[in-house]
Amino acid sequence: MKTIHEINRLPETECEQALQNCCGSTRWVRQMLIARPYESAEFIFVLAENIWCGLGEDDFLEAFSHHPKIGDRESLKKKFASTAHWAGNEQSGVNAATEAVIEALAKGNEAYENKFGFIFIVCATGKSAEEMLAILQARLPNEREDELLIAAAEQAKITALRLQKWITE
């Protein structure tokens, strides 16, 4: 577990990389860095959420682009190597999925991205592949504006979980 003192003493580039692994929004990372030194771990979580809530669509889309598609094992290994240890665990529910569920996720991901213009974002921790597929299918009828806000809220959950992992490593 890292103490707040250790986090505050990290070289800026190391802190920046750790924050980038938590959330792929450049503006979010910059604002988190500017707020150093942090008062406490609790302060980091409140700050993270407050900054996220003050950002907009471009920031959300940038953060979303830093995630592999749910069930896409190849992109998890290749493109997202820096966060694969977290994202892989977050998506571990996919590991036991049947081929039919994996195929349905792939088709659902494609339909979702075609409709909304960004990948399906869900806080996958603790969810089975079947649960994630049901969530994806339930969200497909949404309007884009509503779905963007839902995905942004899911990103906030993912960021909080990753911050927790970073602080407790």
Side-chain angles (χ1 to χ4, degrees):
M1 180 167 198
K2 288 182 179 55
T3 67
I4 200 67
H5 181 70
E6 291 169 329
I7 291 170
N8 285 332
R9 291 180 50 107
L10 286 174
E12 186 166 332
T13 56
E14 190 176 330
C15 188
E16 180 177 14
Q17 183 59 57
L19 291 168
Q20 184 76 34
N21 289 343
C22 294
C23 179
S25 164
T26 303
R27 284 185 51 202
W28 181 85
V29 170
R30 270 194 243 125
Q31 290 183 39
M32 288 292 292
L33 284 171
I34 289 168
R36 285 199 333 161
Y38 306 125
E39 298 170 17
S40 64
E42 294 79 21
F43 175 79
I44 292 172
F45 293 105
V46 171
L47 177 67
E49 185 173 347
N50 288 341
I51 291 171
W52 183 249
C53 290
L55 299 178
E57 180 173 338
D58 290 344
D59 306 298
F60 299 159
L61 296 176
E62 180 185 19
F64 300 166
S65 75
H66 286 255
H67 290 279
K69 292 179 183 174
I70 296 292
D72 185 351
R73 295 177 184 133
E74 283 306 306
S75 71
L76 184 61
K77 287 182 208 170
K78 293 178 185 174
K79 185 176 176 189
F80 302 96
S82 67
T83 58
H85 63 291
W86 287 343
N89 290 336
E90 292 162 358
Q91 291 191 28
S92 63
V94 173
N95 295 338
T98 65
E99 195 58 38
V101 171
I102 295 294
E103 287 177 22
L105 276 168
K107 287 179 185 173
N109 279 325
E110 184 177 349
Y112 183 99
E113 192 168 3
N114 287 339
K115 179 174 181 179
F116 299 116
F118 53 89
I119 70 163
F120 172 63
I121 300 291
V122 65
C123 184
T125 300
K127 293 179 178 65
S128 70
E130 293 79 7
E131 287 174 288
M132 289 182 275
L133 177 59
I135 293 166
L136 188 156
Q137 291 170 336
R139 286 172 44 189
L140 268 170
N142 290 340
E143 295 297 320
R144 186 181 189 283
E145 299 76 26
D146 296 331
E147 188 55 31
L148 181 67
L149 295 177
I150 293 168
E154 292 295 306
Q155 173 65 54
K157 292 177 195 175
I158 295 165
T159 300
L161 284 171
R162 290 182 176 186
L163 282 168
Q164 183 67 43
K165 290 173 186 176
W166 175 50
I167 292 169
T168 58
E169 282 184 329

